[in-house]
Amino acid sequence: MTGLEPLVVVGDVLLDRDVRGVASRLSPDAPAPVVDVTDDVSRPGGAGLAAVLAARSGREVVLVTALGEDRASDRVRQALVGRVRLVELPLHGSLPVKTRVLADGRPLVRIDRGGGEVGRADAAVGRALAEAHAVLVADYGRGTTQALRSLLTGAARRVPLVWDPHPRGGPPVPGARLVTPNAAEATVLCPGEGDSLAAHARRGAELAERWAAAAVAVTLGERGVLLTRPRSAAPMLVPSPYRAAGDPCGAGDCFAAVAACALADGCLPEEALQLAVASAAAFVSAGGAGDPALWRTPPATGLARPAGGDAFATAASVRARGGTVVATGGCFDLLHAGHVGLLESARRIGDCLIVCVNSDASLRRLKGPGRPLNPLEDRLRVLAALGSVDAVVAFEEDTPEALLDRLRPDVWVKGGDYSADDLPEAQALRAWGGQAVVLPYLDGRSTTGLADRAARAAASGS
């Protein structure tokens, strides 16, 4: 593994099955659509999906869950090999199976079957939680978290614990660092008061106090997430970076998994939520839990978390699943509308966008004394916060050619009005079959122009 301390995911695993097809006619014996099946896939759901998504951070992930001796349990075990380490509780019965029937990508019906009783935990479960650097509880109300409640209460006193609740499950243990109900779940737990931000803020604060949680993050779909604390009158809204069109199945698991990994890395809750919201949007846009790339091959160690993760691991992951790696570069000293438009356009070209950034010394040699206006650390952080950016990496040289030789993107993007063949990086890209492209740049926007206007305004006001 990567040397990162383990994250322990505790909760109920399900087997999710998607039966996909096309519906172009109605049944002759009932007013129901006939689905001509084109695909039938199964994958771990519930806590299993949350654990797989958490493993993309590159840290070791231990999944504590109940599995039985049935075929569905065996399929879950096989799917998790090489992804997470399993610590099992006995399941007396069969694993729950959720089957969605989708026509033209839209769900028609869901069929649930199976279920059982969770058995007693053994010493291995206690050791796993004792060694955890952080804990994510994915409670689907099937009994796993209830069976481990005393152990989870102890863990919350020692390490960051994120609890993703379910109306059918029990309340979070006291001391949870973050609880992540969605709007519908929060409304069930605190009925009434409507769907306004103010109503959700009151619910979140009430739940935080009721559960003795440090914070409650109510996820609001396209509106983002509302961070609330006990007896706090100032909730914080973290909006989604863009409107994600796609299958939302598993978005809550993605949100909770990324938030837990970020807290394990030492992030503040506000920082963790920004990462989690951007990651959930990207997850939905990529197809949600049904994205074949998520399950095609076990992830390599060191996979980066979205937005600001390790550039080389991100490129390797995308390349391994047959995707297109896009990169661009520049100083990005004062991020402006021209930069944002270029980055958004570049991201749409492929399956990830890696931004190569001049170091402070490199930028100073390029732009002269007085630059940079913002140090490298700040520039990297601002870029990493953009929803269009999957990873950032700095280079010390005057040009990014040496970095590109290591990164080997499929497409190198620059903004401007010159020919792609004239780019100094174009020849380097040909060595591995890469392509340089030029995208239109928003006229009249530049860091130098902004700095000049600011200087003139300051001078006229003095």
Side-chain angles (χ1 to χ4, degrees), residues 1-10 47-64 80-87 128 132-136 257-258 260-261 264 299 301 303:
M1 303 303 289
T2 63
L4 294 173
E5 297 293 335
L7 171 76
V8 175
V9 178
V10 177
L49 174 61
V52 168
L53 293 168
R56 297 193 301 177
S57 68
R59 69 177 61 250
E60 179 186 9
V61 172
V62 180
L63 173 60
V64 177
L80 295 178
V81 170
R83 300 176 185 276
V84 304
R85 178 162 65 89
L86 270 173
V87 176
H133 191 64
V135 176
L136 167 61
V258 173
C261 290
T301 58
L303 288 185

Side-chain angles (χ1 to χ4, degrees), residues 149-206:
R149 190 166 184 85
S150 61
L151 290 173
L152 292 171
T153 300
R157 299 190 188 105
R158 296 182 290 103
V159 297
L161 185 144
V162 175
W163 191 293
D164 193 11
H166 192 286
R168 291 176 53 184
V173 297
R177 185 74 56 86
L178 185 68
V179 186
T180 61
N182 62 33
E185 292 163 347
T187 301
V188 169
L189 293 164
C190 287
E193 297 187 349
D195 191 44
S196 67
L197 290 178
H200 288 302
R202 287 192 293 271
R203 287 190 189 99
E206 179 181 332

Side-chain angles (χ1 to χ4, degrees), residues 14 35 79 86 134 175 196 204 214 217 238 258 302 312 315 318 325 329 339 341 357 373 381-382 387 403 415 425-426:
L14 318 169
V35 179
L86 270 173
S196 67
V238 180
V258 173
F312 301 100
V318 171
V325 178
H339 292 140
V357 185
L373 301 172
R381 185 170 183 178
V382 169
L403 174 58
E425 302 87 3

Side-chain angles (χ1 to χ4, degrees), residues 313-327:
T314 299
S317 173
V318 171
R319 195 173 289 116
R321 62 179 189 252
T324 299
V325 178
V326 181

Side-chain angles (χ1 to χ4, degrees), residues 375-430:
L376 177 64
E377 183 177 349
D378 288 358
R379 290 183 283 132
L380 293 176
R381 185 170 183 178
V382 169
L383 287 164
L386 296 179
S388 57
V389 176
D390 296 279
V392 291
V393 59
F395 60 93
E396 295 288 344
E397 299 80 11
D398 292 343
T399 72
E401 290 184 47
L403 174 58
L404 292 179
D405 189 53
R406 295 175 57 206
L407 196 60
R408 302 208 161 202
D410 301 295
V411 181
W412 173 252
V413 173
K414 291 293 285 184
D417 55 2
Y418 40 81
S419 168
D421 291 335
D422 294 333
L423 293 174
E425 302 87 3
Q427 184 174 354
L429 275 107
R430 295 189 192 103

